[in-house]
Amino acid sequence: MKIGIDQIGLFTPGQYVDLVEVAQARGVDPNKFTIGIGQDRQSVPGLTQDAVTMAANAALDFLTAEERDQVELIILGTESGVDNSKAGALYVQHLLGLNQWSRAFEIKEACYGATAGLQMAADFVAAHPDKKALVFGSDIARYGLATGGEVTQGAGAVAMLISANPRILALNNDSVYRSQSIQDFWRPVYSDIAFARGHYSTNQYIDFFQKVWAKYREETGHTLDDFKALCFHLPYTKQGLKALRKILPETNVDHQQSLLHYYDESIQYTRQIGNIYTGSLYLGLLSLLETSTSLAAGDTIGLFSYGSGAEGEFYSAELQPGFEEQLHGETHQQMLANRRQLSVPEYEKVFSEELPTDGSAYKADTSNEKARFYLAGIKNHERQYRDHLRGNEDAGAESAPDEPIA
Ligand code: CAA
């Protein structure tokens, strides 16, 4: 039985900053950002979007009434969680009106969370072929203004429907994974910005890739020649290229050129959006599928997932007949083109705005928020989610009795 990605959707907030302008404001040669790092623009989330709303918005690309009922597993992979106890997946379930006879929870392992969710969902479908799973990777990447990591920030979410007989990509059940406790990147619970040993993290990413790729080759007998394209976790687009270049000499020059061509197609969305952590690998996959005109059913795609801390996984999947018809390329191009450009001072202002951390109530300015699901504020320590279609009612949870909160 084939199991894999049946549908895939994308959301990114409606504002961006141009990284050439950021480079100029920081006194850096813009070529460092656009060529050395490989980023052009960066999505800038206001306080009205968080990991929950972005995930729910990403599923709107494809979710049908029938699928809402068939989903029995809802997994949110995120490292930008909004609560230390309640899973963001439950808010997403309520926002999207998903089946309540389901398991819903959140997974954290840095940028690897969505891959953990995807593999768990595939196992779930293998055990229950008539059921479906929704897996989200949704994050806001924040390092701080004028830091080394600033150019690698971003925000967005990918939603994936996992099922038997998938219409886009069937997993080949050949994962090789490795985990090891290292301090390359982390975010303590008291901080809303990440800390990274930037160059160490870059080298660890490559080291994990080389190790899982070597083991994958050994275990499966496959070589680089068996792959039409490779997709990578993309903290910035140069990172995946650095990894790819390590193994290119394993194939002939023509195939090297072809892999580089597909790599270029896989990084187009990330160049515009930035790092979206858990969803990043799948943003690369989406970019490849929606940009390329030469992929065909039966082509094998390799996927490398990396989460700092750290965990790496390499696996392969096969494109399914008619996959092109399941994509939403035009919608995504429009979403990117319709974003509002912020000047650098505007971006710095948005970046510096924070939700209260002392428990006080907060009402967000939602006048510019066009996305269907958004955060309207905080009241009684509870996030107030809204659905443009449902007006002012709380769209994130059922109404609770009016009882003092302990
Ligand atoms: N023109 C063209 N290229 C230029 C240039 C110019 N004028 N000036 C510099 N460059 C090139 C450099 O040669 C370098 O290229 P190589 O990497 O190919 O050698 C590149 O631009 C970057 O230069 P630096 O290494 O000097 O950049 P930096 O010190 O400012 O840091 C960074 C870059 C480490 C990625 C930093 O942005 C960072 O810390 N980012 C956050 C951490 C991160 O993204 N790590 C990735 C791996 S961890 C992971 O994958 C998980 C995750 O999502 C976070």
Side-chain angles (χ1 to χ4, degrees):
M1 177 179 53
K2 287 184 178 178
I3 297 170
I5 301 174
D6 185 64
Q7 295 291 302
I8 179 163
L10 168 67
F11 176 80
T12 194
Q15 315 178 115
Y16 75 91
V17 65
D18 188 301
L19 291 171
V20 169
E21 293 187 3
V22 175
Q24 284 160 348
R26 305 288 177 251
V28 173
D29 178 354
N31 285 343
K32 175 177 174 184
F33 286 5
T34 57
I35 300 168
I37 298 283
Q39 293 298 129
D40 296 321
R41 293 177 174 181
Q42 185 172 104
S43 284
V44 180
L47 294 181
T48 48
Q49 289 296 324
D50 64 16
V52 165
T53 55
M54 292 193 299
N57 284 316
L60 294 175
D61 277 341
F62 59 80
L63 206 59
T64 64
E66 193 189 355
E67 284 158 356
R68 279 182 167 85
D69 292 338
Q70 288 170 330
V71 166
E72 290 200 22
L73 180 65
I74 306 159
I75 304 178
L76 173 62
T78 185
E79 53 185 296
S80 325
V82 300
D83 194 289
N84 282 332
S85 176
K86 178 172 171 175
L90 287 160
Y91 289 120
V92 174
Q93 178 198 47
H94 199 77
L95 287 167
L96 291 170
L98 298 172
N99 183 12
Q100 294 188 341
W101 296 101
S102 56
R103 294 183 182 134
F105 54 90
E106 189 171 308
I107 289 186
K108 178 180 68 187
E109 190 343 70
C111 307
Y112 174 74
T115 298
L118 174 78
Q119 297 297 354
M120 198 178 283
D123 289 346
F124 175 78
V125 173
H128 313 281
D130 55 324
K131 299 178 183 175
K132 297 186 179 181
L134 260 177
V135 177
F136 301 91
S138 181
D139 273 304
I140 296 173
R142 283 169 66 85
Y143 296 89
L145 302 175
T147 61
E150 181 180 34
V151 63
T152 65
Q153 296 175 149
V158 169
M160 295 180 280
L161 186 68
I162 310 303
S163 74
N165 305 313
R167 287 170 287 177
I168 296 179
L169 210 53
L171 308 185
N172 286 335
N173 204 13
D174 56 1
S175 269
V176 169
Y177 36 80
R178 174 183 169 79
S179 53
Q180 181 186 354
S181 181
I182 60 167
Q183 286 297 106
D184 62 332
F185 166 106
W186 65 101
R187 182 168 70 82
V189 285
Y190 54 78
S191 177
D192 77 338
I193 55 162
F195 296 91
R197 291 191 169 92
H199 295 110
Y200 176 62
S201 69
T202 294
N203 292 334
Q204 284 299 319
Y205 174 115
I206 294 170
D207 190 51
F208 267 73
F209 172 64
Q210 287 184 291
K211 282 186 170 128
V212 292
W213 170 247
K215 190 154 185 264
Y216 177 86
R217 283 191 55 176
E218 194 185 299
E219 283 187 3
T220 63
H222 291 309
T223 70
L224 198 47
D225 294 332
D226 297 319
F227 290 90
K228 187 77 174 183
L230 297 186
C231 291
F232 291 83
H233 167 56
L234 296 169
Y236 55 99
T237 68
K238 183 79 162 293
Q239 175 74 78
L241 184 60
K242 283 171 185 256
L244 177 60
R245 280 179 179 155
K246 290 284 181 197
I247 62 167
L248 276 182
E250 295 175 15
T251 187
N252 62 53
V253 173
D254 283 352
H255 195 48
Q256 288 184 18
Q257 289 310 319
S258 173
L259 289 169
L260 286 168
H261 165 79
Y262 287 117
Y263 179 78
D264 198 50
E265 294 184 327
S266 79
I267 62 173
Q268 294 310 312
Y269 288 176
T270 300
R271 286 194 77 96
Q272 302 293 313
I273 292 174
N275 193 357
I276 63 165
Y277 288 163
T278 43
S280 168
L281 166 61
Y282 303 96
L283 181 63
L285 171 66
L286 203 50
S287 178
L288 173 71
L289 299 184
E290 294 182 351
T291 308
S292 184
T293 53
S294 54
L295 290 170
D299 285 345
T300 299
I301 296 176
L303 297 104
F304 175 62
S305 183
Y306 178 77
S308 287
E311 195 134 347
E313 179 158 340
F314 184 88
Y315 65 97
S316 78
E318 193 181 296
L319 278 173
Q320 297 303 292
F323 72 91
E324 308 92 333
E325 289 145 40
Q326 306 305 321
L327 302 173
H328 307 272
E330 250 175 60
T331 310
H332 298 150
Q333 298 290 350
Q334 264 171 22
M335 181 167 67
L336 293 177
N338 291 342
R339 287 179 301 171
R340 193 166 70 92
Q341 181 174 358
L342 300 180
S343 65
V344 174
E346 283 172 325
Y347 143 69
E348 289 174 342
K349 184 170 176 294
V350 172
F351 187 90
S352 303
E353 289 165 353
E354 288 175 356
L355 290 172
T357 51
D358 62 356
S360 50
Y362 172 79
K363 196 169 182 307
D365 174 5
T366 57
S367 52
N368 277 327
E369 186 49 86
K370 304 255 181 334
R372 178 164 161 198
F373 301 118
Y374 60 98
L375 181 73
I378 298 181
K379 206 167 104 189
N380 293 334
H381 308 280
E382 294 170 287
R383 291 171 100 85
Q384 307 293 305
Y385 288 114
R386 295 284 181 273
D387 173 350
H388 269 307
L389 299 187
R390 278 183 271 174
N392 223 15
E393 75 185 76
D394 186 359
E398 287 174 16
S399 59
D402 190 12
E403 177 187 327
I405 295 169

